[in-house]
Amino acid sequence: MIGGTIAHRIDPTILTRLGRSRRSVIVTGTNGKSTTTAMVAAAARLAGTVATNANGDNMDAGVLTALMNGSGEIAVLEVDEMHVGGIARAIEPDVIVLLNLSRDQLDRVGEIGTVEAHLRGVVDAHPHATIIANCDDPLIASAAWDAPHVVWVGAGTSWTHDAVSFPRGGHTVVFGEDGWRVPGTSYARPRPDYEVTDEGLVTPTETLPLRLSIPGRANRGNAAQAALAAHALGVDLAQALAAAGKVNAVAGRYATVPVAGRSVHMLLAKNPAGWQEALTMLDVGADTIIVDVNGQEADSTDLSWLWDVDFEQFRRQTEHIPLIATGERGLDLAVRLTYAGCRVTHAPDILTAVRQAPGTRIELLANYTAFRDAKKIFATEEAQR
């Protein structure tokens, strides 16, 4: 991000000058930003060249660096939830993709209501933008409710713990088979313009195939919203879905890498909702599962949220697989897994964990800085072999 930091100090108007000179899409939300951004970029390339921050550097300096480095006609930008306001004000995006909201980095961002209020303000400040919003998330629906140009997508949600009260009035949200509603008010799940099902993406006229190269139910919703963002720029929807479906790795996520004679499949999870979804992506046919957790500023130094993740279900899925906890906060994690009934051992670092893992097929689930560090360590290890 250093290039963007220096450039902004030299010219405080540079973000506006670079951003407003091209069509642009902003992608934001708690989970899935990097994956969805990669999918939007893949689909948007059908309409022109693309500049994008493909490595997840999603604050002001990272966005500016992406715009300086990329000469694309279209800017596809992942943006941190609390930085959307300033960046949107500078570049005036054509499309804003709102994915989901849940607790994340409370020691930096604050409570989830703060984030919803910020995003609602962004939507209100940009009435000409097309909003691609997940109507299955009540917090996202609240943020996008008044948008004059909103595309409601039934993208799904598996984490409802942070949406027990509706931001507009504080009433209780009730979830049922037909979605969510707020009793005593007019607020309820908006009727989706497009909906993700097992068969594909249901449009007003047909059901289009939705085939992905990466795992996870949540990524089907991400792909749908990504394709619809590209569609808002003029790309054929079926072609956009096909392009999004070809994305098979995102900054190392979902990749399988060789380490110490083993094959390591890498998954990232950063908060309770993300962990809950990532647990469903694990290959339970693997020889070993390694869970790697740090507690640095980018992760949130308070890891009490580990107790909100349903590791009890994880135990039922993985009883037959050796489980290793590691990372700077590996002992905290091992305690949580032990209370969940998991049979877990501890390793002092990720490379030791890989080397002592039984078998050759390893599933690695790591949080933000643990994932980043593991990529570097694995690359160094293989370069030295």
Side-chain angles (χ1 to χ4, degrees), residues 258-260 375-385:
V259 186
K375 284 201 305 178
K376 293 179 181 178
I377 292 167
F378 293 165
T380 301
E381 172 72 9
E382 285 306 297
Q384 294 174 347
R385 290 179 66 84

PDB file of all heavy atoms in Angstrom, residues 258-260 375-385:
ATOM      1  N   PRO A 258       2.304 -27.648  -2.280  1.00  0.00           N
ATOM      2  CA  PRO A 258       3.173 -28.703  -1.750  1.00  0.00           C
ATOM      3  C   PRO A 258       4.045 -28.161  -0.620  1.00  0.00           C
ATOM      4  O   PRO A 258       4.663 -27.114  -0.751  1.00  0.00           O
ATOM      5  CB  PRO A 258       4.022 -29.085  -2.971  1.00  0.00           C
ATOM      6  CG  PRO A 258       4.095 -27.827  -3.789  1.00  0.00           C
ATOM      7  CD  PRO A 258       2.811 -27.100  -3.561  1.00  0.00           C
ATOM      8  N   VAL A 259       4.072 -28.885   0.502  1.00  0.00           N
ATOM      9  CA  VAL A 259       4.889 -28.484   1.651  1.00  0.00           C
ATOM     10  C   VAL A 259       5.455 -29.743   2.303  1.00  0.00           C
ATOM     11  O   VAL A 259       4.684 -30.622   2.728  1.00  0.00           O
ATOM     12  CB  VAL A 259       4.072 -27.691   2.707  1.00  0.00           C
ATOM     13  CG1 VAL A 259       5.002 -27.183   3.810  1.00  0.00           C
ATOM     14  CG2 VAL A 259       3.325 -26.536   2.071  1.00  0.00           C
ATOM     15  N   ALA A 260       6.768 -29.830   2.389  1.00  0.00           N
ATOM     16  CA  ALA A 260       7.431 -30.925   3.104  1.00  0.00           C
ATOM     17  C   ALA A 260       6.896 -32.301   2.684  1.00  0.00           C
ATOM     18  O   ALA A 260       6.643 -33.155   3.527  1.00  0.00           O
ATOM     19  CB  ALA A 260       7.280 -30.726   4.616  1.00  0.00           C
ATOM     20  N   LYS A 375       1.484 -18.728   4.043  1.00  0.00           N
ATOM     21  CA  LYS A 375       1.838 -18.634   2.630  1.00  0.00           C
ATOM     22  C   LYS A 375       3.329 -18.327   2.463  1.00  0.00           C
ATOM     23  O   LYS A 375       4.009 -18.934   1.637  1.00  0.00           O
ATOM     24  CB  LYS A 375       1.020 -17.538   1.941  1.00  0.00           C
ATOM     25  CG  LYS A 375      -0.409 -17.903   1.654  1.00  0.00           C
ATOM     26  CD  LYS A 375      -0.987 -17.017   0.546  1.00  0.00           C
ATOM     27  CE  LYS A 375      -0.850 -15.536   0.855  1.00  0.00           C
ATOM     28  NZ  LYS A 375      -1.381 -14.704  -0.243  1.00  0.00           N
ATOM     29  N   LYS A 376       3.828 -17.364   3.250  1.00  0.00           N
ATOM     30  CA  LYS A 376       5.241 -16.994   3.151  1.00  0.00           C
ATOM     31  C   LYS A 376       6.145 -18.143   3.581  1.00  0.00           C
ATOM     32  O   LYS A 376       7.153 -18.443   2.939  1.00  0.00           O
ATOM     33  CB  LYS A 376       5.507 -15.766   4.019  1.00  0.00           C
ATOM     34  CG  LYS A 376       4.830 -14.492   3.540  1.00  0.00           C
ATOM     35  CD  LYS A 376       5.135 -13.334   4.474  1.00  0.00           C
ATOM     36  CE  LYS A 376       4.441 -12.056   4.025  1.00  0.00           C
ATOM     37  NZ  LYS A 376       4.699 -10.936   4.981  1.00  0.00           N
ATOM     38  N   ILE A 377       5.789 -18.786   4.674  1.00  0.00           N
ATOM     39  CA  ILE A 377       6.601 -19.895   5.193  1.00  0.00           C
ATOM     40  C   ILE A 377       6.623 -21.049   4.204  1.00  0.00           C
ATOM     41  O   ILE A 377       7.681 -21.643   3.934  1.00  0.00           O
ATOM     42  CB  ILE A 377       6.063 -20.338   6.568  1.00  0.00           C
ATOM     43  CG1 ILE A 377       6.306 -19.248   7.607  1.00  0.00           C
ATOM     44  CG2 ILE A 377       6.704 -21.653   7.011  1.00  0.00           C
ATOM     45  CD1 ILE A 377       5.557 -19.449   8.904  1.00  0.00           C
ATOM     46  N   PHE A 378       5.487 -21.376   3.638  1.00  0.00           N
ATOM     47  CA  PHE A 378       5.424 -22.476   2.683  1.00  0.00           C
ATOM     48  C   PHE A 378       6.241 -22.158   1.431  1.00  0.00           C
ATOM     49  O   PHE A 378       6.931 -23.026   0.887  1.00  0.00           O
ATOM     50  CB  PHE A 378       3.981 -22.768   2.287  1.00  0.00           C
ATOM     51  CG  PHE A 378       3.132 -23.317   3.399  1.00  0.00           C
ATOM     52  CD1 PHE A 378       1.741 -23.354   3.292  1.00  0.00           C
ATOM     53  CD2 PHE A 378       3.712 -23.812   4.564  1.00  0.00           C
ATOM     54  CE1 PHE A 378       0.961 -23.870   4.305  1.00  0.00           C
ATOM     55  CE2 PHE A 378       2.929 -24.334   5.592  1.00  0.00           C
ATOM     56  CZ  PHE A 378       1.556 -24.361   5.461  1.00  0.00           C
ATOM     57  N   ALA A 379       6.153 -20.911   0.945  1.00  0.00           N
ATOM     58  CA  ALA A 379       6.908 -20.528  -0.245  1.00  0.00           C
ATOM     59  C   ALA A 379       8.412 -20.621   0.009  1.00  0.00           C
ATOM     60  O   ALA A 379       9.175 -21.097  -0.834  1.00  0.00           O
ATOM     61  CB  ALA A 379       6.530 -19.110  -0.676  1.00  0.00           C
ATOM     62  N   THR A 380       8.832 -20.170   1.190  1.00  0.00           N
ATOM     63  CA  THR A 380      10.258 -20.247   1.550  1.00  0.00           C
ATOM     64  C   THR A 380      10.715 -21.690   1.671  1.00  0.00           C
ATOM     65  O   THR A 380      11.791 -22.071   1.187  1.00  0.00           O
ATOM     66  CB  THR A 380      10.508 -19.505   2.867  1.00  0.00           C
ATOM     67  OG1 THR A 380      10.122 -18.134   2.720  1.00  0.00           O
ATOM     68  CG2 THR A 380      11.978 -19.569   3.257  1.00  0.00           C
ATOM     69  N   GLU A 381       9.903 -22.512   2.293  1.00  0.00           N
ATOM     70  CA  GLU A 381      10.236 -23.930   2.488  1.00  0.00           C
ATOM     71  C   GLU A 381      10.417 -24.627   1.138  1.00  0.00           C
ATOM     72  O   GLU A 381      11.383 -25.374   0.946  1.00  0.00           O
ATOM     73  CB  GLU A 381       9.129 -24.600   3.299  1.00  0.00           C
ATOM     74  CG  GLU A 381       9.253 -26.103   3.418  1.00  0.00           C
ATOM     75  CD  GLU A 381      10.386 -26.551   4.340  1.00  0.00           C
ATOM     76  OE1 GLU A 381      10.966 -25.665   5.030  1.00  0.00           O
ATOM     77  OE2 GLU A 381      10.696 -27.748   4.355  1.00  0.00           O
ATOM     78  N   GLU A 382       9.503 -24.371   0.223  1.00  0.00           N
ATOM     79  CA  GLU A 382       9.598 -25.043  -1.066  1.00  0.00           C
ATOM     80  C   GLU A 382      10.763 -24.501  -1.898  1.00  0.00           C
ATOM     81  O   GLU A 382      11.398 -25.237  -2.664  1.00  0.00           O
ATOM     82  CB  GLU A 382       8.292 -24.888  -1.842  1.00  0.00           C
ATOM     83  CG  GLU A 382       7.180 -25.772  -1.331  1.00  0.00           C
ATOM     84  CD  GLU A 382       7.598 -27.235  -1.279  1.00  0.00           C
ATOM     85  OE1 GLU A 382       7.892 -27.797  -2.343  1.00  0.00           O
ATOM     86  OE2 GLU A 382       7.626 -27.800  -0.176  1.00  0.00           O
ATOM     87  N   ALA A 383      11.073 -23.197  -1.745  1.00  0.00           N
ATOM     88  CA  ALA A 383      12.197 -22.619  -2.490  1.00  0.00           C
ATOM     89  C   ALA A 383      13.535 -23.208  -2.036  1.00  0.00           C
ATOM     90  O   ALA A 383      14.489 -23.254  -2.808  1.00  0.00           O
ATOM     91  CB  ALA A 383      12.194 -21.091  -2.309  1.00  0.00           C
ATOM     92  N   GLN A 384      13.590 -23.639  -0.784  1.00  0.00           N
ATOM     93  CA  GLN A 384      14.826 -24.174  -0.231  1.00  0.00           C
ATOM     94  C   GLN A 384      15.005 -25.663  -0.489  1.00  0.00           C
ATOM     95  O   GLN A 384      16.076 -26.212  -0.230  1.00  0.00           O
ATOM     96  CB  GLN A 384      14.889 -23.908   1.276  1.00  0.00           C
ATOM     97  CG  GLN A 384      14.991 -22.433   1.628  1.00  0.00           C
ATOM     98  CD  GLN A 384      14.907 -22.179   3.124  1.00  0.00           C
ATOM     99  OE1 GLN A 384      14.539 -23.061   3.905  1.00  0.00           O
ATOM    100  NE2 GLN A 384      15.230 -20.957   3.520  1.00  0.00           N
ATOM    101  N   ARG A 385      13.963 -26.308  -0.991  1.00  0.00           N
ATOM    102  CA  ARG A 385      14.054 -27.753  -1.216  1.00  0.00           C
ATOM    103  C   ARG A 385      14.845 -28.071  -2.485  1.00  0.00           C
ATOM    104  O   ARG A 385      14.798 -27.357  -3.439  1.00  0.00           O
ATOM    105  CB  ARG A 385      12.644 -28.357  -1.324  1.00  0.00           C
ATOM    106  CG  ARG A 385      11.913 -28.363   0.009  1.00  0.00           C
ATOM    107  CD  ARG A 385      10.527 -28.947  -0.148  1.00  0.00           C
ATOM    108  NE  ARG A 385      10.554 -30.356  -0.511  1.00  0.00           N
ATOM    109  CZ  ARG A 385      10.672 -31.339   0.382  1.00  0.00           C
ATOM    110  NH1 ARG A 385      10.766 -31.075   1.672  1.00  0.00           N
ATOM    111  NH2 ARG A 385      10.687 -32.591  -0.013  1.00  0.00           N
TER     112      ARG A 385
END
